[in-house]
Amino acid sequence: MTLNATTSHTVGPYYHIGLTWLNREDLTVEQTLGERVAITGQVVDGNGDFVNDAMLEVWQANAAGKYDHPEDDQAKPLDPNFEGFGRVPVDAEGRFRFTTIKPGTVEGLKGSTQAPHLVVLVFARGLVKHLLTRIYFEGEPANVDDPLLECVPAERRGTLLAKQDASGVYQWNVILQGTDAETVFFDY
């Protein structure tokens, strides 16, 4: 038997067919425990042009640092009012905004501690598979010892840090390729 190669398919822009019912720009409800934060930004390509058909998928732990997932067996409390998931489309100029809570620290490998972070998947036209990155919070003391951040060259870590502006909103952009400011993406 001979197997023939098939063509590649990109991950977008077909979201309207089956994914938009999962859109959720506010990951919280009134009873959700923890510090609410808003994160805004823009998805741009290597030329600085906005990407108007991207979608961000956000996964995170709750305020105590526990994921709402059966494989998270940490002895930390679950928040019944927080799933830790959201899906956020960008607007016509590549902008996004979502509201969530600042997650707690999470246990890492070999007894390490991961700083508060959000896991972000980026979907967009032209991507053969989605991109994986993280959002950390600038000024968070636990960032110093985060094992994943330690693997990122110091000059590139800023692409993973959301910076709080004067209004209290965190700013974080996704730069897909081509410049020194390109967002750090991880293999999985």
Side-chain angles (χ1 to χ4, degrees):
M1 174 198 264
T2 302
L3 299 176
N4 296 320
T6 59
T7 58
S8 295
H9 296 279
T10 64
V11 297
Y14 310 108
Y15 312 121
H16 64 279
I17 294 172
L19 296 179
T20 56
W21 68 274
L22 289 170
N23 288 0
R24 188 167 164 202
E25 296 174 10
D26 189 345
L27 284 63
T28 69
V29 295
E30 186 177 336
Q31 300 83 6
T32 301
L33 302 174
E35 175 190 350
R36 281 177 175 64
V37 294
I39 299 175
T40 65
Q42 189 174 38
V43 180
V44 298
D45 65 18
N47 296 322
D49 297 327
F50 50 80
V51 177
N52 62 5
D53 64 351
M55 184 177 300
L56 305 180
E57 193 171 274
V58 180
W59 296 88
Q60 69 171 91
N62 66 20
K66 185 172 179 79
Y67 287 94
D68 187 6
H69 192 278
E71 291 183 22
D72 186 342
D73 58 2
Q74 298 178 89
K76 295 179 178 179
L78 271 177
D79 181 346
N81 299 302
F82 187 72
E83 294 176 355
F85 171 80
R87 185 172 277 160
V88 184
V90 300
D91 68 12
E93 294 179 354
R95 295 178 304 223
F96 62 87
R97 179 184 177 99
F98 63 93
T99 303
T100 187
I101 52 99
K102 188 173 181 185
T105 59
V106 178
E107 292 177 18
L109 298 174
K110 300 178 184 175
S112 64
T113 300
Q114 297 179 52
H117 67 276
L118 288 70
V119 177
V120 179
L121 298 175
V122 180
F123 299 83
R125 88 181 105 80
L127 298 176
V128 177
K129 67 177 188 173
H130 52 268
L131 302 172
L132 173 69
T133 190
R134 285 187 174 189
I135 300 174
Y136 289 89
F137 299 88
E138 184 178 58
E140 172 62 44
N143 288 348
V144 174
D145 297 318
D146 184 273
L148 189 63
L149 274 177
E150 287 178 355
C151 294
V152 176
E155 66 274 9
R156 306 269 295 125
R157 290 180 194 154
T159 69
L160 301 174
L161 298 176
K163 298 166 180 61
Q164 199 169 28
D165 67 17
S167 70
V169 173
Y170 283 91
Q171 303 292 320
W172 180 76
N173 294 316
V174 178
I175 301 173
L176 293 178
Q177 64 184 10
T179 70
D180 292 339
E182 177 181 325
T183 301
V184 171
F185 299 105
F186 301 100
D187 289 330
Y188 57 96

